[in-house]
Amino acid sequence: MKKILDITTWPRKAHYEFFKQFEEPFFGVCVSVDCTKAYHTAKEQGHSFFLWYLHKSLAAANAIAPFRYRIIDDIIYEYEVVHASPTINRPDGTFGFAYMDYHPQFTDFATAAQLEIDQVQATTGLIPANSGENVIHYSSMPWIDFTSLSHARSFSFKDCIPKISFGKMKEVHGKKVMSVSIHVHHGLMDGYHVGQFIDHFQQLLNA
């Protein structure tokens, strides 16, 4: 379910009208998150760490309204909930696209998500997810401890969907840390909102 955002009273109206004209309206940041508690909790409970942090990230994105804004036919909509469209790595080194519904309860999310992972890993090709607009585009590169990241983009295709990527987890001074890249449409949000997402994501990882 979605509703139209009334930009006539929106404080960011001028910002939106400015950045929507750009050929590349996305901006991105890379940060490190402390996933020590999250990793140990997931492993102690017998859960996939990937699904654990993916769920926490999706919960954080749903909690920050601009991450649920989408531009469709020059109208901004706010979705009630957004879901995950992640890349799923295969043993042969390729990946496929997947779609995973968001559920507030991790066990509900993980059960359905694992079925999707199994399906993608049992096939070949990209398998377009046909997931629509109300998703976050996710990718994981557990082999790379990146400090910056760019995305392949077709500028002829108008895109406004947030893109979140996870890197390699490593040990730093006894803590497990992981690089995270967040790319978002500047017409829909600013660094302030990305900062809110990062803080909330970290809180959920620590919970």
Side-chain angles (χ1 to χ4, degrees):
M1 184 176 295
K2 63 181 183 291
K3 63 181 181 181
I4 295 176
L5 182 71
D6 182 6
I7 67 171
T8 61
T9 59
W10 189 30
R12 296 194 69 265
K13 180 177 184 291
H15 301 71
Y16 165 69
E17 292 178 340
F18 178 71
F19 286 111
K20 75 174 184 178
Q21 304 174 66
F22 283 34
E23 288 82 5
E24 172 55 298
F26 277 74
F27 75 96
V29 299
C30 287
V31 299
S32 292
V33 295
D34 181 349
C35 51
T36 309
K37 179 72 179 296
Y39 179 81
H40 288 304
T41 300
K43 293 306 177 183
E44 286 169 3
Q45 296 183 15
H47 297 308
S48 158
F49 177 54
F50 165 67
L51 289 181
W52 189 268
Y53 70 67
L54 180 63
H55 179 258
K56 303 309 177 192
S57 168
L58 197 52
N62 272 289
I64 311 300
F67 278 80
R68 292 184 277 108
Y69 293 168
R70 298 292 182 271
I71 306 167
I72 303 173
D73 296 329
D74 291 324
I75 298 174
I76 302 177
Y77 291 89
E78 179 181 352
Y79 279 90
E80 183 177 352
V81 61
V82 292
H83 308 285
S85 181
T87 56
I88 299 300
N89 299 318
R90 298 190 182 100
D92 65 0
T94 66
F95 69 87
F97 294 124
Y99 172 84
M100 300 172 181
D101 280 322
Y102 172 65
H103 298 278
Q105 293 296 322
F106 172 75
T107 51
D108 295 334
F109 171 79
T111 299
Q114 188 60 56
L115 292 174
E116 179 75 355
I117 290 174
D118 293 343
Q119 178 180 335
V120 172
Q121 291 185 333
T123 55
T124 59
L126 287 174
I127 312 177
N130 296 321
S131 51
E133 297 285 336
N134 61 327
V135 295
I136 305 288
H137 287 158
Y138 284 104
S139 58
S140 292
M141 294 175 283
W143 326 275
I144 304 173
D145 176 28
F146 55 72
T147 55
S148 65
L149 187 137
S150 62
H151 290 276
R153 289 260 284 126
S154 172
F155 292 122
S156 62
F157 175 74
K158 291 189 177 297
D159 186 15
C160 64
I161 297 176
K163 300 165 197 327
I164 300 175
S165 302
F166 305 100
K168 182 179 181 179
M169 184 175 65
K170 63 179 182 178
E171 295 270 353
V172 178
H173 304 305
K175 293 184 177 181
K176 294 184 182 297
V177 299
M178 182 172 62
S179 49
V180 181
S181 166
I182 305 108
H183 280 72
V184 295
H185 193 295
H186 212 341
L188 299 179
M189 69 181 90
D190 302 313
Y192 170 73
H193 307 101
V194 175
Q196 287 182 312
F197 164 80
I198 294 167
D199 288 345
H200 194 42
F201 181 36
Q202 184 64 72
Q203 290 171 6
L204 295 175
L205 291 173
N206 293 340

